[in-house]
Amino acid sequence: DDHFQNSGRLCTRRYSVMGLGGKKEVVHNDVVVIGAGISGLCAAKLLHEFGLDVLVLEARDRVGGRTYTTRDPSYGYADMGGAYVGPTQDRILRVAKELDLKLYMVNEKEKTVSYFKGVHRSTTDPGNPAYVTGLFEGLDTNNIVQKIEKCTNEIPPEAPWNAPRAKEWDSMTVKDFIDKECWTSIAKTVVQLIVAALFCCEPHEMSFLYFLTYFRSGQGIRRMATITNGAQERKFVGGSMQVSEKIAELLGNRVVLSSPVMKIQQEEGFAMVTTHSGQQYR
């Protein structure tokens, strides 16, 4: 029960798990990538270009990971997940150019509008959150941002675990930090919104060390949250999920959807990956 499935100059070898009789077969590949988000697909694309037999397993019924573009004739398209790119994000900008994806500048000429606790507010200064109205709240918000920037600057970008307080920061969450350092609920809310907007999670779910490392890689919290000359400067024409979709098109049937991985067994010389259906990849 040994055969080859040709795909270009690559091939995938399958062996039966329990002999004949319609049983599932073990699929042999050089590399199995788990997750068809941008990182996983870029890795698979590079491996494929170097001649390796690579397979990508994705739990969802779509590619894209945290990027998710919805489409409908009534509104065209909308990014519901990660959407923005900007200066210093050279790798994703290079991939976008390689895939011939177009970008447009985010508009910040008009007022920034917020809806917070039932109240609409607006400001002409995008760097000043419209919901920070009181003097004490403003001071507290500025203070917590300055503290985060100071901690961020202590992180070695290539080895964050070597930071002087790495062990302490990795043992606490972002919530622990803001509970300890923020005086007002507004300052806490500002950090909570930053976490939700940039990381798509809640402060109690994230290590403070990872939080700082992320900002260190992007040249600080202010630049990461800024539009002009910052990480929020541009968006993809047609939506950000196109990055993953176009790479998946290049990889073809090497991307397998609706295949959540349930188990990875590391053996001597190889790894066995098992999905929810019982399919195994070696």
Side-chain angles (χ1 to χ4, degrees):
D1 193 23
D2 181 2
H3 63 276
F4 288 88
Q5 177 182 355
N6 291 317
S7 181
R9 60 193 178 87
L10 298 180
C11 59
T12 299
R13 176 176 291 172
R14 292 181 170 86
Y15 293 100
S16 175
V17 176
M18 299 177 66
L20 301 176
K23 301 297 183 180
K24 292 185 181 298
E25 301 170 323
V26 175
V27 179
H28 284 231
N29 300 93
D30 294 325
V31 181
V32 173
V33 176
I34 300 173
I38 292 176
S39 296
L41 288 169
C42 283
K45 176 176 175 291
L46 184 63
L47 292 167
H48 171 53
E49 290 170 349
F50 272 89
L52 293 176
D53 183 4
V54 61
L55 194 75
V56 182
L57 300 177
E58 167 57 46
R60 293 185 176 98
D61 61 357
R62 64 170 180 86
V63 298
R66 294 199 308 175
T67 59
Y68 178 43
T69 305
T70 61
R71 302 177 177 97
D72 189 272
S74 64
Y75 58 81
Y77 69 92
D79 279 321
M80 309 301 289
Y84 298 87
V85 295
T88 76
Q89 299 178 4
D90 300 332
R91 292 181 178 89
I92 187 63
L93 292 173
R94 174 183 56 78
V95 171
K97 184 177 181 180
E98 181 181 338
L99 298 173
D100 196 30
L101 294 173
K102 307 302 180 186
L103 301 166
Y104 68 91
M105 303 293 286
V106 173
N107 174 42
E108 61 171 345
K109 294 179 181 178
E110 283 72 41
K111 291 184 177 181
T112 297
V113 179
S114 74
Y115 180 75
F116 183 65
K117 292 187 175 180
V119 179
H120 283 277
R121 296 187 178 90
S122 62
T123 177
T124 55
D125 178 10
N128 178 28
Y131 40 81
V132 180
T133 56
L135 175 61
F136 191 60
E137 293 170 341
L139 290 172
D140 190 25
T141 300
N142 182 69
N143 179 63
I144 196 64
V145 170
Q146 294 289 350
K147 285 185 176 180
I148 292 172
E149 288 279 36
K150 182 179 178 181
C151 294
T152 297
N153 290 334
E154 295 182 28
I155 302 292
E158 301 302 326
W161 49 87
N162 289 332
R165 301 172 65 185
K167 185 176 181 180
E168 173 192 350
W169 288 339
D170 203 32
S171 65
M172 62 191 295
T173 65
V174 178
K175 183 180 185 301
D176 294 331
F177 174 78
I178 59 178
D179 285 346
K180 178 182 177 182
E181 300 293 342
C182 291
W183 304 328
T184 64
S185 61
I186 287 293
K188 288 184 179 181
T189 299
V190 169
V191 181
Q192 289 167 353
L193 290 174
I194 289 172
V195 172
L198 298 184
F199 300 94
C200 301
C201 69
E202 298 298 325
H204 69 272
E205 298 177 305
M206 181 181 297
S207 151
F208 187 54
L209 178 63
Y210 176 78
F211 179 76
L212 297 175
T213 301
Y214 183 86
F215 288 124
R216 184 70 177 89
S217 68
Q219 299 185 3
I221 187 172
R222 294 185 186 275
R223 190 164 198 188
M224 293 294 287
T226 296
I227 298 176
T228 299
N229 200 33
Q232 315 299 313
E233 184 180 77
R234 292 167 245 173
K235 297 183 72 176
F236 289 90
V237 176
S240 60
M241 196 164 73
Q242 292 177 106
V243 176
S244 296
E245 290 171 332
K246 283 185 174 291
I247 297 176
E249 287 177 10
L250 295 173
L251 292 172
N253 61 6
R254 296 175 184 83
V255 179
V256 183
L257 302 178
S258 302
S259 297
V261 171
M262 307 302 291
K263 181 169 63 174
I264 302 174
Q265 294 171 274
Q266 185 67 54
E267 306 291 347
E268 186 175 351
F270 70 94
M272 184 71 78
V273 179
T274 306
T275 65
H276 74 305
S277 67
Q279 179 65 64
Q280 293 185 305
Y281 301 86
R282 172 173 169 171

